[in-house]
């Protein structure tokens, strides 16, 4: 099934028919897995996604369990889309809670390894999967609640924003936001549209320009999340909240949700191919690849070492000091542009 | 005059010219009723609308007095539109306060009896009158202030949102909001647009999906109303507030108001016929008619009786308990969808 | 150079190519003034604009010094645009702080003398310069921070809203807002769009209809400014804030800023000529000219005199009382429309 989706993503020249094709694939899968609907409570587990579906309530919980930080790789995105599609096709499933099984992180966002050192074709396939994830979640007929039980930067923040309601763990060490600019990349228009729909134009302008990561309290204040609860209560609160949403007749709620979101969804649906081309053109630039390389090396080699380092790209000497948060900078592959290490580390600390 | 308007609404095949025709009708009415402009202070009373116009201030007060709860029936909407049109044509009338003469309720919203068990033609005529009311109020050249001295669900909330300013009685028993989904129906796009213009996209998405009714304090917090005052002070505060607005030169204020609202108005004006067709198609569905029937029976027969009931549609046994607010549910004509009675009763309690 | 710009504004029949032509002019100017880029820290001073550029930080500070209140006259707007264009062309300049050298005022807005008693041609040239200022600032590639160290009504508020961040002096005697309606004129759609992007639709509707001037505390509450600091700290806080913005890679920040603002900019860019025509047609009306004349006389002749006055236009007797703020009114050239003097004086008090 997963391979079928990836093949589909890979081979179709036109993008307009993709959504419905995926729906067909999902439908077939649902027919092949009747256990999902026949049992009162079922559990469907792929390697990286665990779905618990309670027939008595009509609510499924999707646990993301892709170590270490639920990075949204092409493979993981494909798994997520297939799992969502199965639930969407099952008429008895009315609500979905999305949460993480990994400690301290909801999702670290798009996987850098699907963008760094890869062919344009791979980058295109990856980006189509990101689009697909957004289209499916933002347009879901189900009630979707994000149980944000850890940090949620970039693509992780996007995923949570596609849901109908966001409950976050009230732990000041966690953060959430679209921090792309801090990494030298740019959130595309549909990330932006989703955020504008959530927190308004001005907060989005500030957040995206500065690549802001918000503490839970700050996120609540600007409306990026809807509710804060103790870390232990995130999932149970999500389930309780779901009860309120389930009290609304589905057909009326679905028509209303579609009315609110359709214009935003249509904008991407009508421009998927151009959006893929823009992404591939941008991400395969030498300067951007150098930036990604530097970020990756920092992630891989240096995350546990504190002390003095010399940037392998531009020979700038800097000090990696996670605790004091000194304002030393690391090179992003462009001698005139440096990124404060504190910022970089904060962004990525969920991996440390 | 009223008949003329209704005939106009009933017979014209094209809708685009309707607004200007109504304006002509209103103009004629103004000429036929010179007392309105000749007196220093005049009072114009139809059966269900009482208009007090003070020439010395240029401010009219429209009292809605359609027992028991100012339901927006076809007849009442026609009266309201005629009264507004008269004032609009009178150049000496610069401001309008809209309020209720009924206890505990501003307006209970659209009248269910114009949607339940009626012919498609009647439903279409009704919906055109709802559109007309919105077009006239949202596009009024006058300063419009809603003195919300009671609960204001659904169409009542819409009416208040068309005004330039909303003052609500600070009584926690009152509520305001577009609660259509809770009744199994859907607010159309122009209800949605009006609410987005008032409280923003995200608050509207939540409010409409969940059919939220807000307490006065909650409504103030999200910006659904602008000011809370003691129940006894709603009308006098509206008059005082009007003074501030009257200090602004009319031509500048009117051009500014039009600039803010014209795109939203144009969206409906360009799609009235399709919007009527959508409404008629939706409201005449068997499932929706069954829901409306159940709501109506609840309103008519059961509103004063507490205790155990058996739903006449699906034989579900439920307990009607207004005080404890227990989560028993009543059938909405669809055995798989139930509406918590507490919610239903709360919505309708202005009638109890 | 300034003459070249004004000639350009005056003679070109088509407007679409104007922006790029100005860019060329600016480029030429930059080449003629190599001192600006060669020195580590340079200061470029026209009569009314002083620009301090620090090469070590890449940040320029533009001091507006056009006595008495930095009115945005055709001449001053031209100076401002030339200064901005020079900085925009200089790749080493990454950030710009805009502030005032005049006491108690950031900018009093558009200069009434370029709209009152002038030929339609002059009014058109003036309006093109206002458009140009907005297009350049709102679309600037630089990080722009407004250090609002005084009152900022009308065009002054617009200028501050074009910036990426607004820091205002926390002095309750200062105010900020688009108060055009109070003067009997109307903010055009792109003023409105800028404000909607900053504080949202509803706050803009209220602010523009009532011509509201907000105290610093009120402005912070609705999001019209981002931060309040003591009067002495406005400029230093702007410089500190700039440091945070400079940490973001320019290319990512610029693409993001453009994504947020381009639709709004494109709306004016595609309608400049119609917008100029609208403005000229409106401002040259007899009734508007009379209003402007009355405002001007009030500014010029009566600002220091308290006591009884008789309006020279309609012979209404009124009392000018700055301290008690009595609600007497002055004539705006239209016997049926009066403007409360308190409001007028408050609007203009920065000049007193």
């Amino acid at each position: 099934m997963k391979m079928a989706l990836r093949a589909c993503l890979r081979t179709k020249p036109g993008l307009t028919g993709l959504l419905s094709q995926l729906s067909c694939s999902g439908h077939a899968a649902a027919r092949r897995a009747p256990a999902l609907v026949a049992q009162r409570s079922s559990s469907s587990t792929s390697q990286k996604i665990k779905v618990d579906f309670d027939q008595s309530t009509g609510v499924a919980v999707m646990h993301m369990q892709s170590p270490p930080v639920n990075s949204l790789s092409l493979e993981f995105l494909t798994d997520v889309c297939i799992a969502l599609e199965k639930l969407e096709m099952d008429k008895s499933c009315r609500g979905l809670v999305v949460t993480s099984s990994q400690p301290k992180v909801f999702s670290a966002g798009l996987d850098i390894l699907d963008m760094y050192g890869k062919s344009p074709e791979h980058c295109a396939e990856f980006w189509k999967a990101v689009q697909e994830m957004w289209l499916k979640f933002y347009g879901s007929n189900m009630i979707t609640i994000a149980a944000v039980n850890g940090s949620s930067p970039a693509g992780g923040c996007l995923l949570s924003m596609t849901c109908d309601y966001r409950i976050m763990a009230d732990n000041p060490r966690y953060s959430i936001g679209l921090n792309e600019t801090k990494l030298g990349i740019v959130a595309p228009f549909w990330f932006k549209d989703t955020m504008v729909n959530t927190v308004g134009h001005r907060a989005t302008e500030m957040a995206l320009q500065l690549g802001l990561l918000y503490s839970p309290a700050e996120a609540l204040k600007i409306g990026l999340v809807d509710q804060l609860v103790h870390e232990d209560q995130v999932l149970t609160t999500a389930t309780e909240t779901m009860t309120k949403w389930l009290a609304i007749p589905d057909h009326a709620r679905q028509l209303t949700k579609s009315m609110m979101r359709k214009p935003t969804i249509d904008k991407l649906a009508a421009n998927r191919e151009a959006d893929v081309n823009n992404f591939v053109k941008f991400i395969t630039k030498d300067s951007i690849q150098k930036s990604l390389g530097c970020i990756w090396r920092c992630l891989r080699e240096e995350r546990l070492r504190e002390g003095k380092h010399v940037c392998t790209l531009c020979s700038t000497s800097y000090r990696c000091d996670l605790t004091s948060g000194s304002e030393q900078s690391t090179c992003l592959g462009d001698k005139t542009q440096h990124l404060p290490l504190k910022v970089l580390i904060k962004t990525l600390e969920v991996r440390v």
Side-chain angles (χ1 to χ4, degrees), chain A residues 158-195:
Chain A
L158 179 74
L159 175 57
S160 75
M161 285 195 301
T162 64
C163 293
D164 292 315
Y165 197 78
R166 283 160 288 289
I167 298 159
M168 191 170 182
D170 193 8
N171 182 334
R173 295 199 60 239
Y174 298 158
S175 64
I176 184 169
L178 294 180
N179 59 322
E180 278 79 356
T181 55
K182 269 190 184 139
L183 306 176
I185 57 179
V186 178
F189 73 88
W190 39 289
F191 284 48
K192 179 263 291 177
D193 290 343
T194 314
M195 193 168 205

mmCIF file of all heavy atoms in Angstrom, chain A residues 158-195:
data_model
loop_
_atom_site.group_PDB
_atom_site.id
_atom_site.type_symbol
_atom_site.label_atom_id
_atom_site.label_comp_id
_atom_site.label_asym_id
_atom_site.label_seq_id
_atom_site.Cartn_x
_atom_site.Cartn_y
_atom_site.Cartn_z
ATOM 1 N N LEU A 158 3.163 22.990 11.574
ATOM 2 C CA LEU A 158 2.186 22.947 10.477
ATOM 3 C C LEU A 158 1.171 21.838 10.697
ATOM 4 O O LEU A 158 -0.038 22.046 10.576
ATOM 5 C CB LEU A 158 2.904 22.737 9.137
ATOM 6 C CG LEU A 158 1.968 22.657 7.936
ATOM 7 C CD1 LEU A 158 1.421 24.038 7.592
ATOM 8 C CD2 LEU A 158 2.643 22.030 6.731
ATOM 9 N N LEU A 159 1.674 20.647 11.025
ATOM 10 C CA LEU A 159 0.777 19.511 11.250
ATOM 11 C C LEU A 159 -0.247 19.838 12.337
ATOM 12 O O LEU A 159 -1.445 19.587 12.182
ATOM 13 C CB LEU A 159 1.600 18.267 11.629
ATOM 14 C CG LEU A 159 0.802 17.017 12.019
ATOM 15 C CD1 LEU A 159 -0.154 16.605 10.912
ATOM 16 C CD2 LEU A 159 1.743 15.865 12.377
ATOM 17 N N SER A 160 0.220 20.422 13.427
ATOM 18 C CA SER A 160 -0.719 20.741 14.514
ATOM 19 C C SER A 160 -1.718 21.809 14.075
ATOM 20 O O SER A 160 -2.883 21.771 14.470
ATOM 21 C CB SER A 160 0.044 21.183 15.768
ATOM 22 O OG SER A 160 0.550 22.491 15.622
ATOM 23 N N MET A 161 -1.270 22.755 13.235
ATOM 24 C CA MET A 161 -2.184 23.825 12.785
ATOM 25 C C MET A 161 -3.265 23.319 11.834
ATOM 26 O O MET A 161 -4.278 23.987 11.635
ATOM 27 C CB MET A 161 -1.403 24.960 12.110
ATOM 28 C CG MET A 161 -0.660 25.855 13.095
ATOM 29 S SD MET A 161 -0.115 27.414 12.348
ATOM 30 C CE MET A 161 0.935 26.828 11.016
ATOM 31 N N THR A 162 -3.056 22.164 11.220
ATOM 32 C CA THR A 162 -4.097 21.632 10.340
ATOM 33 C C THR A 162 -5.288 21.081 11.135
ATOM 34 O O THR A 162 -6.342 20.849 10.560
ATOM 35 C CB THR A 162 -3.570 20.473 9.455
ATOM 36 O OG1 THR A 162 -3.198 19.385 10.290
ATOM 37 C CG2 THR A 162 -2.413 20.904 8.585
ATOM 38 N N CYS A 163 -5.071 20.864 12.438
ATOM 39 C CA CYS A 163 -6.131 20.251 13.242
ATOM 40 C C CYS A 163 -7.184 21.282 13.645
ATOM 41 O O CYS A 163 -6.980 22.482 13.534
ATOM 42 C CB CYS A 163 -5.524 19.579 14.478
ATOM 43 S SG CYS A 163 -4.500 18.147 14.052
ATOM 44 N N ASP A 164 -8.322 20.776 14.134
ATOM 45 C CA ASP A 164 -9.409 21.659 14.538
ATOM 46 C C ASP A 164 -9.157 22.300 15.898
ATOM 47 O O ASP A 164 -9.737 23.345 16.216
ATOM 48 C CB ASP A 164 -10.727 20.870 14.609
ATOM 49 C CG ASP A 164 -11.187 20.425 13.238
ATOM 50 O OD1 ASP A 164 -11.141 21.251 12.313
ATOM 51 O OD2 ASP A 164 -11.589 19.249 13.094
ATOM 52 N N TYR A 165 -8.290 21.675 16.698
ATOM 53 C CA TYR A 165 -8.057 22.147 18.062
ATOM 54 C C TYR A 165 -6.677 21.674 18.497
ATOM 55 O O TYR A 165 -6.259 20.575 18.155
ATOM 56 C CB TYR A 165 -9.142 21.578 18.989
ATOM 57 C CG TYR A 165 -9.281 22.267 20.328
ATOM 58 C CD1 TYR A 165 -9.945 23.479 20.429
ATOM 59 C CD2 TYR A 165 -8.745 21.698 21.485
ATOM 60 C CE1 TYR A 165 -10.086 24.114 21.665
ATOM 61 C CE2 TYR A 165 -8.879 22.320 22.726
ATOM 62 C CZ TYR A 165 -9.557 23.531 22.805
ATOM 63 O OH TYR A 165 -9.690 24.151 24.021
ATOM 64 N N ARG A 166 -5.974 22.521 19.254
ATOM 65 C CA ARG A 166 -4.618 22.211 19.691
ATOM 66 C C ARG A 166 -4.490 22.313 21.208
ATOM 67 O O ARG A 166 -4.736 23.368 21.799
ATOM 68 C CB ARG A 166 -3.612 23.194 19.064
ATOM 69 C CG ARG A 166 -3.278 22.906 17.607
ATOM 70 C CD ARG A 166 -2.701 24.105 16.900
ATOM 71 N NE ARG A 166 -3.721 25.106 16.657
ATOM 72 C CZ ARG A 166 -4.711 24.969 15.758
ATOM 73 N NH1 ARG A 166 -4.781 23.892 15.016
ATOM 74 N NH2 ARG A 166 -5.609 25.919 15.624
ATOM 75 N N ILE A 167 -4.114 21.203 21.827
ATOM 76 C CA ILE A 167 -3.852 21.182 23.269
ATOM 77 C C ILE A 167 -2.359 20.922 23.437
ATOM 78 O O ILE A 167 -1.827 19.966 22.874
ATOM 79 C CB ILE A 167 -4.653 20.057 23.956
ATOM 80 C CG1 ILE A 167 -6.150 20.313 23.761
ATOM 81 C CG2 ILE A 167 -4.296 19.956 25.430
ATOM 82 C CD1 ILE A 167 -6.995 19.068 23.930
ATOM 83 N N MET A 168 -1.658 21.790 24.194
ATOM 84 C CA MET A 168 -0.204 21.640 24.318
ATOM 85 C C MET A 168 0.182 21.395 25.773
ATOM 86 O O MET A 168 -0.460 21.907 26.693
ATOM 87 C CB MET A 168 0.503 22.895 23.789
ATOM 88 C CG MET A 168 2.013 22.715 23.627
ATOM 89 S SD MET A 168 2.805 24.092 22.734
ATOM 90 C CE MET A 168 4.515 23.481 22.685
ATOM 91 N N ALA A 169 1.236 20.633 25.936
ATOM 92 C CA ALA A 169 1.796 20.409 27.269
ATOM 93 C C ALA A 169 2.373 21.714 27.790
ATOM 94 O O ALA A 169 3.127 22.384 27.094
ATOM 95 C CB ALA A 169 2.880 19.330 27.217
ATOM 96 N N ASP A 170 2.032 22.055 29.030
ATOM 97 C CA ASP A 170 2.460 23.326 29.617
ATOM 98 C C ASP A 170 3.857 23.195 30.216
ATOM 99 O O ASP A 170 4.055 23.374 31.410
ATOM 100 C CB ASP A 170 1.442 23.736 30.692
ATOM 101 C CG ASP A 170 1.655 25.178 31.118
ATOM 102 O OD1 ASP A 170 2.474 25.867 30.483
ATOM 103 O OD2 ASP A 170 1.007 25.597 32.084
ATOM 104 N N ASN A 171 4.812 22.870 29.394
ATOM 105 C CA ASN A 171 6.208 22.730 29.817
ATOM 106 C C ASN A 171 7.022 23.802 29.099
ATOM 107 O O ASN A 171 7.151 23.778 27.872
ATOM 108 C CB ASN A 171 6.703 21.334 29.440
ATOM 109 C CG ASN A 171 8.139 21.094 29.885
ATOM 110 O OD1 ASN A 171 8.921 22.032 30.037
ATOM 111 N ND2 ASN A 171 8.477 19.834 30.097
ATOM 112 N N PRO A 172 7.576 24.753 29.867
ATOM 113 C CA PRO A 172 8.261 25.897 29.226
ATOM 114 C C PRO A 172 9.488 25.502 28.395
ATOM 115 O O PRO A 172 10.000 26.330 27.641
ATOM 116 C CB PRO A 172 8.659 26.784 30.416
ATOM 117 C CG PRO A 172 8.587 25.906 31.615
ATOM 118 C CD PRO A 172 7.563 24.849 31.324
ATOM 119 N N ARG A 173 9.927 24.257 28.507
ATOM 120 C CA ARG A 173 11.070 23.833 27.690
ATOM 121 C C ARG A 173 10.631 23.502 26.260
ATOM 122 O O ARG A 173 11.454 23.419 25.363
ATOM 123 C CB ARG A 173 11.760 22.610 28.309
ATOM 124 C CG ARG A 173 12.405 22.932 29.665
ATOM 125 C CD ARG A 173 13.447 21.890 30.047
ATOM 126 N NE ARG A 173 14.538 21.798 29.074
ATOM 127 C CZ ARG A 173 14.851 20.679 28.406
ATOM 128 N NH1 ARG A 173 14.176 19.577 28.599
ATOM 129 N NH2 ARG A 173 15.845 20.663 27.550
ATOM 130 N N TYR A 174 9.333 23.304 26.083
ATOM 131 C CA TYR A 174 8.845 22.999 24.738
ATOM 132 C C TYR A 174 8.573 24.288 23.973
ATOM 133 O O TYR A 174 8.334 25.341 24.565
ATOM 134 C CB TYR A 174 7.552 22.180 24.806
ATOM 135 C CG TYR A 174 7.703 20.840 25.485
ATOM 136 C CD1 TYR A 174 6.597 20.187 26.026
ATOM 137 C CD2 TYR A 174 8.950 20.215 25.582
ATOM 138 C CE1 TYR A 174 6.711 18.957 26.647
ATOM 139 C CE2 TYR A 174 9.071 18.991 26.207
ATOM 140 C CZ TYR A 174 7.967 18.370 26.741
ATOM 141 O OH TYR A 174 8.081 17.155 27.365
ATOM 142 N N SER A 175 8.614 24.184 22.667
ATOM 143 C CA SER A 175 8.309 25.355 21.854
ATOM 144 C C SER A 175 7.603 24.916 20.580
ATOM 145 O O SER A 175 7.629 23.754 20.190
ATOM 146 C CB SER A 175 9.583 26.121 21.511
ATOM 147 O OG SER A 175 10.437 25.320 20.717
ATOM 148 N N ILE A 176 6.954 25.898 19.953
ATOM 149 C CA ILE A 176 6.188 25.629 18.739
ATOM 150 C C ILE A 176 6.243 26.850 17.841
ATOM 151 O O ILE A 176 6.234 27.981 18.313
ATOM 152 C CB ILE A 176 4.713 25.262 19.087
ATOM 153 C CG1 ILE A 176 3.926 24.871 17.833
ATOM 154 C CG2 ILE A 176 4.017 26.385 19.838
ATOM 155 C CD1 ILE A 176 2.569 24.247 18.126
ATOM 156 N N GLY A 177 6.348 26.626 16.539
ATOM 157 C CA GLY A 177 6.384 27.757 15.605
ATOM 158 C C GLY A 177 6.937 27.362 14.252
ATOM 159 O O GLY A 177 7.507 26.273 14.096
ATOM 160 N N LEU A 178 6.745 28.248 13.290
ATOM 161 C CA LEU A 178 7.309 28.034 11.956
ATOM 162 C C LEU A 178 8.632 28.802 11.895
ATOM 163 O O LEU A 178 8.667 29.988 11.601
ATOM 164 C CB LEU A 178 6.337 28.526 10.873
ATOM 165 C CG LEU A 178 5.015 27.754 10.747
ATOM 166 C CD1 LEU A 178 4.154 28.341 9.630
ATOM 167 C CD2 LEU A 178 5.263 26.274 10.475
ATOM 168 N N ASN A 179 9.720 28.096 12.204
ATOM 169 C CA ASN A 179 11.019 28.753 12.355
ATOM 170 C C ASN A 179 11.905 28.650 11.122
ATOM 171 O O ASN A 179 13.131 28.748 11.208
ATOM 172 C CB ASN A 179 11.742 28.148 13.564
ATOM 173 C CG ASN A 179 11.951 26.649 13.416
ATOM 174 O OD1 ASN A 179 11.073 25.954 12.905
ATOM 175 N ND2 ASN A 179 13.094 26.158 13.832
ATOM 176 N N GLU A 180 11.290 28.467 9.965
ATOM 177 C CA GLU A 180 12.061 28.225 8.747
ATOM 178 C C GLU A 180 13.134 29.284 8.470
ATOM 179 O O GLU A 180 14.269 28.953 8.129
ATOM 180 C CB GLU A 180 11.120 28.117 7.538
ATOM 181 C CG GLU A 180 10.477 26.745 7.354
ATOM 182 C CD GLU A 180 9.301 26.497 8.289
ATOM 183 O OE1 GLU A 180 9.028 27.366 9.144
ATOM 184 O OE2 GLU A 180 8.661 25.437 8.176
ATOM 185 N N THR A 181 12.773 30.572 8.606
ATOM 186 C CA THR A 181 13.765 31.602 8.238
ATOM 187 C C THR A 181 15.043 31.479 9.059
ATOM 188 O O THR A 181 16.115 31.797 8.573
ATOM 189 C CB THR A 181 13.209 33.034 8.411
ATOM 190 O OG1 THR A 181 12.737 33.203 9.734
ATOM 191 C CG2 THR A 181 12.111 33.325 7.405
ATOM 192 N N LYS A 182 14.928 31.024 10.284
ATOM 193 C CA LYS A 182 16.132 30.885 11.118
ATOM 194 C C LYS A 182 17.086 29.852 10.550
ATOM 195 O O LYS A 182 18.282 29.869 10.839
ATOM 196 C CB LYS A 182 15.740 30.500 12.541
ATOM 197 C CG LYS A 182 15.535 31.729 13.414
ATOM 198 C CD LYS A 182 15.381 31.362 14.856
ATOM 199 C CE LYS A 182 15.068 32.620 15.667
ATOM 200 N NZ LYS A 182 14.057 32.385 16.684
ATOM 201 N N LEU A 183 16.552 28.942 9.774
ATOM 202 C CA LEU A 183 17.403 27.925 9.137
ATOM 203 C C LEU A 183 17.759 28.328 7.711
ATOM 204 O O LEU A 183 18.334 27.546 6.957
ATOM 205 C CB LEU A 183 16.679 26.574 9.151
ATOM 206 C CG LEU A 183 16.203 26.099 10.525
ATOM 207 C CD1 LEU A 183 15.427 24.798 10.396
ATOM 208 C CD2 LEU A 183 17.386 25.914 11.478
ATOM 209 N N GLY A 184 17.403 29.549 7.325
ATOM 210 C CA GLY A 184 17.752 30.041 5.991
ATOM 211 C C GLY A 184 16.806 29.581 4.900
ATOM 212 O O GLY A 184 17.039 29.806 3.722
ATOM 213 N N ILE A 185 15.717 28.928 5.290
ATOM 214 C CA ILE A 185 14.725 28.526 4.286
ATOM 215 C C ILE A 185 13.427 29.297 4.499
ATOM 216 O O ILE A 185 13.319 30.099 5.432
ATOM 217 C CB ILE A 185 14.493 26.992 4.274
ATOM 218 C CG1 ILE A 185 14.068 26.497 5.653
ATOM 219 C CG2 ILE A 185 15.768 26.290 3.824
ATOM 220 C CD1 ILE A 185 13.796 24.994 5.708
ATOM 221 N N VAL A 186 12.445 29.074 3.633
ATOM 222 C CA VAL A 186 11.245 29.910 3.630
ATOM 223 C C VAL A 186 9.989 29.042 3.685
ATOM 224 O O VAL A 186 9.865 28.085 2.918
ATOM 225 C CB VAL A 186 11.209 30.779 2.347
ATOM 226 C CG1 VAL A 186 9.951 31.631 2.298
ATOM 227 C CG2 VAL A 186 12.449 31.652 2.262
ATOM 228 N N ALA A 187 9.083 29.374 4.578
ATOM 229 C CA ALA A 187 7.792 28.679 4.617
ATOM 230 C C ALA A 187 7.000 29.045 3.360
ATOM 231 O O ALA A 187 6.924 30.210 3.009
ATOM 232 C CB ALA A 187 7.011 29.086 5.864
ATOM 233 N N PRO A 188 6.438 28.046 2.664
ATOM 234 C CA PRO A 188 5.689 28.361 1.437
ATOM 235 C C PRO A 188 4.343 29.005 1.760
ATOM 236 O O PRO A 188 3.928 29.053 2.919
ATOM 237 C CB PRO A 188 5.498 26.996 0.780
ATOM 238 C CG PRO A 188 5.515 26.036 1.905
ATOM 239 C CD PRO A 188 6.442 26.603 2.953
ATOM 240 N N PHE A 189 3.660 29.472 0.714
ATOM 241 C CA PHE A 189 2.439 30.265 0.924
ATOM 242 C C PHE A 189 1.353 29.521 1.700
ATOM 243 O O PHE A 189 0.596 30.122 2.443
ATOM 244 C CB PHE A 189 1.891 30.789 -0.413
ATOM 245 C CG PHE A 189 1.236 29.755 -1.283
ATOM 246 C CD1 PHE A 189 -0.113 29.459 -1.153
ATOM 247 C CD2 PHE A 189 1.967 29.071 -2.251
ATOM 248 C CE1 PHE A 189 -0.723 28.511 -1.962
ATOM 249 C CE2 PHE A 189 1.372 28.117 -3.060
ATOM 250 C CZ PHE A 189 0.028 27.835 -2.907
ATOM 251 N N TRP A 190 1.291 28.226 1.565
ATOM 252 C CA TRP A 190 0.202 27.509 2.238
ATOM 253 C C TRP A 190 0.525 27.253 3.699
ATOM 254 O O TRP A 190 -0.394 27.143 4.520
ATOM 255 C CB TRP A 190 -0.173 26.226 1.494
ATOM 256 C CG TRP A 190 0.973 25.452 0.916
ATOM 257 C CD1 TRP A 190 1.735 25.812 -0.158
ATOM 258 C CD2 TRP A 190 1.491 24.208 1.391
ATOM 259 N NE1 TRP A 190 2.700 24.846 -0.383
ATOM 260 C CE2 TRP A 190 2.562 23.855 0.543
ATOM 261 C CE3 TRP A 190 1.137 23.359 2.438
ATOM 262 C CZ2 TRP A 190 3.313 22.688 0.725
ATOM 263 C CZ3 TRP A 190 1.875 22.183 2.615
ATOM 264 C CH2 TRP A 190 2.942 21.866 1.763
ATOM 265 N N PHE A 191 1.805 27.184 4.082
ATOM 266 C CA PHE A 191 2.149 27.241 5.504
ATOM 267 C C PHE A 191 1.672 28.594 6.051
ATOM 268 O O PHE A 191 1.047 28.689 7.099
ATOM 269 C CB PHE A 191 3.667 27.160 5.720
ATOM 270 C CG PHE A 191 4.307 25.803 5.564
ATOM 271 C CD1 PHE A 191 4.041 24.992 4.474
ATOM 272 C CD2 PHE A 191 5.220 25.339 6.512
ATOM 273 C CE1 PHE A 191 4.669 23.755 4.324
ATOM 274 C CE2 PHE A 191 5.844 24.106 6.379
ATOM 275 C CZ PHE A 191 5.569 23.314 5.280
ATOM 276 N N LYS A 192 2.001 29.634 5.294
ATOM 277 C CA LYS A 192 1.638 30.996 5.697
ATOM 278 C C LYS A 192 0.118 31.151 5.816
ATOM 279 O O LYS A 192 -0.395 31.670 6.808
ATOM 280 C CB LYS A 192 2.209 31.985 4.668
ATOM 281 C CG LYS A 192 1.894 33.434 4.918
ATOM 282 C CD LYS A 192 0.701 33.939 4.117
ATOM 283 C CE LYS A 192 0.969 34.034 2.642
ATOM 284 N NZ LYS A 192 -0.233 34.453 1.876
ATOM 285 N N ASP A 193 -0.607 30.687 4.804
ATOM 286 C CA ASP A 193 -2.073 30.801 4.842
ATOM 287 C C ASP A 193 -2.653 30.098 6.070
ATOM 288 O O ASP A 193 -3.561 30.602 6.724
ATOM 289 C CB ASP A 193 -2.689 30.176 3.578
ATOM 290 C CG ASP A 193 -2.418 31.002 2.326
ATOM 291 O OD1 ASP A 193 -2.056 32.189 2.459
ATOM 292 O OD2 ASP A 193 -2.567 30.457 1.214
ATOM 293 N N THR A 194 -2.117 28.913 6.370
ATOM 294 C CA THR A 194 -2.605 28.162 7.531
ATOM 295 C C THR A 194 -2.375 28.946 8.810
ATOM 296 O O THR A 194 -3.226 28.990 9.706
ATOM 297 C CB THR A 194 -1.894 26.790 7.624
ATOM 298 O OG1 THR A 194 -1.886 26.168 6.339
ATOM 299 C CG2 THR A 194 -2.593 25.889 8.626
ATOM 300 N N MET A 195 -1.213 29.585 8.910
ATOM 301 C CA MET A 195 -0.914 30.354 10.118
ATOM 302 C C MET A 195 -1.767 31.621 10.190
ATOM 303 O O MET A 195 -2.250 31.988 11.269
ATOM 304 C CB MET A 195 0.569 30.697 10.183
ATOM 305 C CG MET A 195 0.982 31.203 11.561
ATOM 306 S SD MET A 195 2.768 31.285 11.752
ATOM 307 C CE MET A 195 2.902 31.154 13.562
#
